[in-house]
Amino acid sequence: SRTRGRAAGRVSAGLRSVLGSAPVRRVATKIFLAFAVSLVAFSAVAGYGIVRLHEVRRDLRLLSGGYLALTRIAAQLDVKDWVAARALEASALDRAARQVYLPVARAQFPGFVREKIEEGRRVAREARPLARGDEARFLDEVSSRLDALDARWGEYDAAARALFDALEEGEGQDPRTRAAFEARAQAVRQLEKGLSLDVKLLQVSLETQVGDRVHAAERTEGRTVLLTVIYSLLALAIGVGAALVSQRLLSPIETLTEGVKAVAAGDLTREV
């Protein structure tokens, strides 16, 4: 009985010494740090996914609300029925027929073009905050092209209306004024060709940009999926490592617990 009491006293003293010592506190700190690292790893993966989703959303808004809208507006700027051809047709008519034809020709004059140019400016301004780097420079270039197109369209508008006014005054029917009228119509035709070329170049530029953005989005999607899988596996490996570290740190405590239970049950030969 005295031997058992002394053995139990030594075990109790040893337990108090071990459980109240700094190493145990360091074990708890290590376990906490291991799981904290695991939590940080999974949080980093989640944060990366959120950032990538935000960037994809921004790209989609820029593509749909910016580039595709500008492409549609550029297609509407492509005028099919220009003034010079109608003016030359009207010059071959007699005066009565010309007086009937000219109001119709004026009504068909594409005055909505300047409205579409202004709409394109507005779309470019609204899409500008979504753009970065080369995309921002491209939208600035589109805005500059629309400004230049607006200036040229104003010049064309004035020349076309002057041509219609000349027709109403009878210019072109008299052989003496025929040459001057044809020269005026030729000048308007040159303006039309320049405007048509500007619109075509704008359309090609926008279509190219849309194609590039679609291909870039496809590459970004593949890269994002790959990196997400890699980061998730890495975070999983860190979590498994944290569990193994915790098990290794807790294993001596489990051995100590089993020894204490054996001594308490009367096995004084157990060594801990």
Side-chain angles (χ1 to χ4, degrees):
S1 177
R2 285 196 299 270
T3 302
R4 180 178 297 179
R6 286 194 296 271
R10 287 196 299 271
V11 171
S12 299
L15 282 174
R16 286 194 299 270
S17 175
V18 171
L19 296 177
S21 64
V24 173
R25 291 194 294 271
R26 288 199 295 269
V27 167
T29 302
K30 291 177 181 178
I31 294 174
F32 171 77
L33 291 177
F35 281 98
V37 170
S38 177
L39 180 62
V40 169
F42 281 103
S43 299
V45 174
Y48 173 77
I50 292 173
V51 170
R52 293 306 302 159
L53 286 176
H54 178 72
E55 292 180 355
V56 168
R57 178 174 176 269
R58 180 191 65 84
D59 291 341
L60 289 176
R61 288 180 59 193
L62 180 60
L63 183 62
S64 62
Y67 296 146
L68 292 179
L70 287 171
T71 302
R72 172 184 56 80
I73 292 171
Q76 293 173 338
L77 290 175
D78 191 8
V79 180
K80 304 299 182 183
D81 191 12
W82 293 99
V83 168
R86 296 203 303 272
L88 291 174
E89 291 175 0
S91 65
L93 301 175
D94 57 48
R95 186 173 185 83
R98 185 186 302 184
Q99 295 300 324
V100 174
Y101 178 78
L102 283 177
V104 178
R106 284 184 182 273
Q108 292 178 349
F109 183 69
F112 68 93
V113 171
R114 303 194 81 169
E115 297 178 2
K116 291 300 175 183
I117 292 175
E118 183 58 33
E119 182 182 355
R121 288 170 171 168
R122 178 182 56 79
V123 170
R125 284 195 304 269
E126 293 176 353
R128 183 62 173 77
L130 301 173
R132 295 178 298 186
D134 293 338
E135 297 172 350
R137 286 189 289 272
F138 175 77
L139 287 176
D140 291 340
E141 179 185 351
V142 170
S143 297
S144 298
R145 287 190 175 188
L146 289 173
D147 291 340
L149 192 62
D150 185 43
R152 296 193 65 176
W153 189 267
E155 182 182 357
Y156 169 67
D157 191 1
R161 295 184 186 280
L163 186 63
F164 279 133
D165 292 340
L167 279 173
E168 288 183 347
E169 294 173 359
E171 185 175 322
Q173 284 190 325
D174 190 342
R176 292 173 296 180
T177 60
R178 184 66 183 179
F181 177 78
E182 290 180 352
R184 188 195 295 268
Q186 185 63 27
V188 173
R189 191 188 298 274
Q190 291 298 322
L191 291 173
E192 291 171 350
K193 289 181 179 180
L195 286 169
S196 180
L197 179 60
D198 289 343
V199 171
K200 290 292 184 184
L201 291 175
L202 180 60
Q203 288 177 347
V204 170
S205 180
L206 288 169
E207 290 171 0
T208 302
Q209 183 72 5
V210 169
D212 291 343
R213 291 308 308 159
V214 170
H215 294 316
E218 292 175 350
R219 292 193 299 269
T220 301
E221 179 189 8
R223 185 167 59 251
T224 300
V225 171
L226 178 61
L227 290 176
T228 301
V229 171
I230 293 175
Y231 293 156
S232 298
L233 292 176
L234 180 61
L236 181 61
I238 293 175
V240 172
L244 293 176
V245 168
S246 300
Q247 183 180 4
R248 182 173 179 274
L249 292 172
L250 292 174
S251 180
I253 298 178
E254 182 180 359
T255 303
L256 177 62
T257 303
E258 292 176 354
V260 170
K261 289 180 180 179
V263 171
D267 185 5
L268 303 181
T269 62
R270 174 67 67 93
E271 293 182 0
V272 181

